[in-house]
Amino acid sequence: MNHQKLVEKARRYCEGKGARFTLLREKVYGLLLQKQGATGAYELLDELKETESSAKPATVYRTLDFLLEFGLVHRLESNNAFVACHHFGCNHPVQFLICDTCGEVQEIQSEGLKETLDNQAKAYGFKVESQTIEAHGTCASCQN
């Protein structure tokens, strides 16, 4: 799906949940959609300032909090950066393949991983509320 269609889908999704998908939220989400890898908040701020000169760090962080809350982006904990989610609207476990050479990030769905984790957690009386797994390595392009 192209970026503009994803932005429109995000707008409809937010409005369906009773939330406004403001121009600023659209811009930040759009910036993340353009990236191959993860992007930090301050990098987003620098890019946002090209069109929104009054943008401040708090502005970006509030926007990212909104996008996280609605599942439109994911936070990579290992490098405190953000990636756009292309299949929002569903509660799904998240796994990422992160290239340490070029920074490319691939979101994947590992068959059976959620069930295995849930079953192991259940054995300890633990209930998993959310799950994000980050695997660092080298992508196919960087291996060549």
Side-chain angles (χ1 to χ4, degrees):
M1 186 178 295
N2 74 34
H3 294 170
Q4 190 55 41
K5 286 184 180 180
L6 278 168
V7 168
E8 288 303 318
K9 180 181 172 187
R11 179 186 322 291
R12 288 190 307 274
Y13 176 72
C14 290
E15 289 172 356
K17 298 274 188 186
R20 291 183 51 230
F21 194 63
T22 64
L23 184 58
L24 182 63
R25 292 169 179 167
E26 177 181 331
K27 285 182 179 184
V28 171
Y29 184 62
L31 288 171
L32 286 167
L33 285 172
Q34 295 171 19
K35 305 290 183 185
Q36 288 289 66
T39 305
Y42 280 90
E43 185 180 340
L44 285 169
L45 176 62
D46 290 342
E47 292 183 41
L48 191 59
K49 280 186 174 183
E50 292 176 14
T51 58
E52 303 290 323
S53 60
S54 63
K56 303 278 187 254
T59 307
V60 172
Y61 280 111
R62 278 193 305 272
T63 302
L64 288 168
D65 285 345
F66 173 88
L67 296 174
L68 282 165
E69 179 182 343
F70 281 83
L72 300 174
V73 301
H74 299 293
R75 179 193 325 262
L76 299 180
E77 299 294 334
S78 62
N79 57 4
N80 195 27
F82 302 86
V83 294
C85 180
H86 294 87
H87 48 86
F88 49 85
C90 59
N91 185 14
H92 61 281
V94 182
Q95 299 98 40
F96 293 106
L97 303 176
I98 304 167
C99 181
D100 291 326
T101 303
C102 70
E104 180 181 357
V105 176
Q106 291 293 318
E107 182 177 345
I108 62 170
Q109 300 293 312
S110 298
E111 297 267 335
L113 186 61
K114 179 184 182 333
E115 293 77 18
T116 300
L117 180 61
D118 286 344
N119 289 336
Q120 289 177 344
K122 186 178 180 180
Y124 289 94
F126 188 86
K127 182 178 182 224
V128 177
E129 299 294 333
S130 67
Q131 172 252 296
T132 301
I133 295 174
E134 300 176 23
H136 288 261
T138 309
C139 71
S141 296
C142 292
Q143 290 176 38
N144 297 326

